[in-house]
Every structure is written in structure tokens, then in C-alpha cells.
Amino acid sequence: VDSVMNINGFDLHRALKSSPDLLNANAAPTKHDKSVTSVSLDQGAPRHLRLVKKGELDLQEISKWMNELIGVQGETMFRMKGILAIKHAEEKFVYHGVHMIVNGGFSEAWVPKERRESKLVFIGKNLDPKALAARFNSCLVTPENQKQWEKQLRFAIGDRVECLCGANMWVAGTVVALFYRDEKMPPGKVAPYQILLDNEKDHLIWAPSDDDRCIRVLCEDEDSDSKEEDEEAEMEVEEEEA
């Protein structure tokens, strides 16, 4: 209680200094900028008022959208706040933003019988409700969206790659799964790839992102050279044993 009471959040004398006509009933009425509106994307709203579809959100996709939104509309986005239901997370993800400053993170857990529904509210200039709703829906974890996300990946199952497994240590391997997830990963985290490395039998790892800094195309020449070297080494061993 002490953190919200008696903190002098509003002071009349200070307010009158910045707005002398605050208490003047005869002052000219202020004009509202009609371009400033609010948009609510509420999965729990009645169906005839709901702009968005129901379902859980992908953490990477919703984060990507928020970054895009800040980059394009940050100066005209006055406020943004919401509580999101993220796939593979037991906690609520809370967003809060003012202009181009946005904070987000996991908060309290969802109550067992509580509906896992997301709600985002925007206040800004020239907001497009349909465009915001469409972009929100594109972040939902659905079979249709996952097919689109899969098309955006650089590699497919069976592709030969090399992964950064230490300081300047690249190890060859094969992609064996897409959008990999296990319970040891952070809340909401889904890896674009799971890879079977060549250096150890059944040594499986996952790439944290689809980025050349952690996973890249394996040069076929290098791969074939290494295979030839291995074969030559095996032949030498066989000759020595003979």
C-alpha cells in the first residue's frame, strides 16, 4: 500500500502551473485530435466485438511484430500494454510500451481454471484496427501459420549444415527436426532446428536462431574433403594392421 499511497502523484499547485485554466469553467474547450484513437485486441471479447482469433501466441513471432511496430509507428504509438498467452509457457507475458520504449517479460503464472486469452490495447494516431488484428493473428500458433514460418526457414530436414559449438569451433551436422522444443528450454522458446552432429554418435543439439552466427551452410567441398581424409586414415590403419 505504501508504494501507491501518499506518493504525491498528483499535486494541484503543480498542475495549475502547467495548466492555468485547469479549474476555469469559462475557458475555451480543448480540441480532441480525431486521429488519436484506441484499439483493443481482446480474445475474451464477445464474438461480435472480437477483432482477433483465439489461440496461443508464438513468442518469437509476437516479439518480431512488436519490434516492427516500434520501428514503423513508434513515434505515433502513445501507449501499448497487454497480457499475452504464449505457447509453451505457464506464465503470463506482460507488455508495456510508451512510444519507442517497450518492456516485456513473463510475470505471474496462469491460474489453473483461468482462460488463457490474450489482450493488447493500443493508443495512438492513425491506428488501423484491421491491420493490427491481422498481424496479431499471424502470430498465433496454428497449422496454417506454422507452414508459413517453415517456408521462411533457410534449411529443411536432411540439409547438411555446420553449427558453432564453441569459440570458433564449427561442427558439421544434419538437420533432423524443425521447430524443436523440449522441457529444458526457457518458457516460450522454440528452436528453428534440431541438428545431429557428426563428431559424436547421437549427439543432438538445437540452434537458438536461424542465423549465420550459429548455423550456416556446410561447404560441400570441405565436407567431401573431410570424408576423404577419414577414408584415407581408415585405409592406413587397415594397411598397418595387415
Side-chain angles (χ1 to χ4, degrees):
V1 175
D2 293 337
S3 63
V4 295
M5 297 294 290
N6 300 320
I7 60 174
N8 297 317
F10 175 79
D11 183 272
L12 181 59
H13 296 291
R14 186 169 64 243
L16 287 172
K17 284 183 179 180
S18 60
S19 302
D21 291 330
L22 180 64
L23 300 179
N24 184 2
N26 298 318
T30 57
K31 293 182 179 180
H32 174 67
D33 187 346
K34 294 183 179 180
S35 67
V36 178
T37 58
S38 65
V39 175
S40 175
L41 305 180
D42 187 357
Q43 290 183 321
R47 188 170 183 177
H48 66 287
L49 298 175
R50 192 168 65 239
L51 298 176
V52 294
K53 299 177 182 179
K54 292 200 173 188
E56 295 179 312
L57 296 158
D58 180 80
L59 180 58
Q60 180 174 330
E61 291 298 319
I62 198 74
S63 299
K64 186 191 301 181
W65 176 36
M66 291 296 107
N67 289 332
E68 292 172 0
L69 205 57
I70 294 168
V72 177
Q73 296 179 253
E75 294 184 0
T76 57
M77 186 69 72
F78 302 148
R79 289 289 301 275
M80 175 180 66
K81 62 191 305 183
I83 297 175
L84 307 178
I86 301 295
K87 185 76 171 179
H88 306 300
E90 297 300 324
E91 300 83 14
K92 300 174 182 179
F93 195 91
V94 179
Y95 260 119
H96 181 264
V98 178
H99 287 291
M100 301 183 76
I101 301 175
V102 177
N103 292 315
F106 287 104
S107 180
E108 61 185 18
W110 294 91
V111 178
K113 293 185 179 181
E114 185 178 9
R115 291 183 178 180
R116 291 174 60 94
E117 294 176 332
S118 299
K119 181 175 182 178
L120 268 173
V121 177
F122 303 93
I123 301 174
K125 297 183 69 173
N126 304 314
L127 298 178
D128 185 339
K130 290 184 178 179
L132 291 171
R135 193 66 181 87
F136 177 95
N137 289 335
S138 71
C139 299
L140 294 171
V141 182
T142 65
E144 295 77 16
N145 285 342
Q146 287 183 312
K147 287 181 181 179
Q148 294 300 317
W149 301 338
E150 186 173 329
K151 291 179 181 178
Q152 297 171 11
L153 294 177
R154 295 180 298 152
F155 305 115
I157 293 176
D159 283 354
R160 295 284 293 160
V161 296
E162 57 180 359
C163 304
L164 184 62
C165 297
N168 298 319
M169 184 176 72
W170 291 88
V171 181
T174 304
V175 176
V176 295
L178 305 179
F179 300 118
Y180 174 75
R181 165 80 191 174
D182 65 44
E183 296 306 316
K184 295 180 181 179
M185 297 167 75
K189 177 66 179 178
V190 176
Y193 309 107
Q194 186 185 36
I195 305 98
L196 177 63
L197 297 181
D198 293 351
N199 62 345
E200 293 183 32
K201 185 178 180 181
D202 298 330
H203 187 185
L204 291 165
I205 65 168
W206 50 270
S209 62
D210 189 10
D211 192 302
D212 266 342
R213 290 173 294 182
C214 62
I215 181 171
R216 65 190 185 188
V217 176
L218 175 65
C219 178
E220 293 297 335
D221 292 337
E222 293 181 3
D223 193 27
S224 59
D225 289 344
S226 62
K227 287 182 179 179
E228 289 177 1
E229 291 175 0
D230 292 341
E231 291 174 357
E232 290 176 359
E234 290 178 2
M235 290 177 63
E236 290 177 0
V237 171
E238 290 176 358
E239 289 176 358
E240 290 178 0
E241 290 178 350

